[in-house]
């Protein structure tokens, strides 16, 4: 038999996902009973086309290096090829964290007409991921600086209680 792994074309190969569609050609075998496919030593189910001699299967990958082997064994001999698939999972997307830094207490008593609301907002990349409400009204005009993760808004205060809410969202 002659085994050639055609996908991936190189080894090691990087995988962006936790699965990878592997393909190989296996020549000089009488059927799939003479073929063995494994990922990290565990036998895998696969498809074999006797006309095209193509073996195909989806490899489920673990984080790190994964050894994918296609072997063929006949009465005339054997052949085996192994490729390494490297899978690095994307880091998890952390939820936004909003910490109001000014005022420092709630409720906060203040006797001026304007006040600068300040906050630190983590795990977002731009001000488009922030909604700011003053007295339950969506308000624009705030500043968010991604590099320092600082939010600020110069609020014109109404007489009496003023309510503020900062909502941050990201892809998760």
């Amino acid at each position: 038999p002659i085994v050639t792994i055609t996908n991936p074309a190189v080894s090691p190969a990087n995988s962006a996902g936790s699965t990878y569609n592997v393909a190989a050609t296996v020549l000089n075998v009488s059927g799939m009973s003479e073929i063995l496919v494994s990922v990290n030593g565990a036998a895998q189910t696969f498809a074999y086309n006797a006309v095209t001699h193509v073996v195909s299967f989806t490899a489920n990958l673990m984080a790190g290096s994964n050894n994918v082997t296609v072997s063929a064994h006949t009465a005339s001999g054997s052949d085996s090829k192994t490729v390494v698939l490297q899978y690095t999972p994307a880091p998890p997307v952390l939820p936004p964290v909003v910490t109001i830094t000014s005022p420092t207490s709630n409720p906060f008593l203040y006797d001026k007409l304007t006040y600068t609301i300040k906050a630190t907002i983590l795990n977002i990349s731009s001000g488009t991921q922030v909604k700011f409400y003053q007295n339950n009204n969506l308000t624009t005009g705030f500043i968010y600086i991604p590099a320092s993760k600082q939010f600020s808004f110069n609020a014109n205060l109404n007489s009496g209680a003023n309510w503020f809410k900062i909502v941050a969202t990201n892809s998760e």
Side-chain angles (χ1 to χ4, degrees):
I2 300 171
V3 175
T4 306
I5 297 178
T6 56
N7 191 44
V10 297
S11 179
N14 292 320
S15 177
S18 63
T19 61
Y20 195 96
N21 293 325
V22 178
T25 57
V26 179
L27 304 175
N28 305 322
V29 294
S30 60
M32 65 188 304
S33 64
E34 296 179 330
I35 301 169
L36 177 65
V37 171
S38 67
V39 177
N40 297 321
Q44 301 291 300
T45 58
F46 61 93
Y48 176 67
N49 183 317
V51 174
T52 63
H53 310 286
V54 172
V55 171
S56 59
F57 63 99
T58 300
N60 292 312
L61 306 177
M62 299 182 306
S65 293
N66 294 267
N67 293 314
V68 177
T69 302
V70 178
S71 301
H73 303 279
T74 68
S76 301
S78 63
D79 190 20
S80 181
K81 296 295 187 300
T82 299
V83 293
V84 175
L85 291 173
Q86 182 69 36
Y87 170 51
T88 305
V93 177
L94 299 174
V97 177
V98 177
T99 304
I100 296 175
T101 56
S102 182
T104 57
S105 62
N106 185 14
F108 177 71
L109 300 175
Y110 191 69
D111 62 357
K112 307 286 190 260
L113 295 176
T114 61
Y115 187 82
T116 302
I117 307 296
K118 295 181 181 180
T120 300
I121 306 175
L122 305 177
N123 305 324
I124 64 169
S125 56
S126 77
T128 60
Q129 296 170 291
V130 177
K131 290 185 180 178
F132 178 68
Y133 298 86
Q134 180 175 359
N135 298 319
N136 290 323
N137 294 313
L138 184 61
T139 304
T140 59
F142 62 82
I143 297 170
Y144 178 71
I145 303 169
S148 63
K149 304 182 183 328
Q150 297 302 301
F151 168 96
S152 65
F153 179 76
N154 294 321
N156 293 317
L157 303 176
N158 296 330
S159 180
N162 287 265
W163 300 90
F164 298 97
K165 180 168 72 171
I166 302 169
V167 177
T169 58
N170 61 16
S171 61
E172 291 301 308

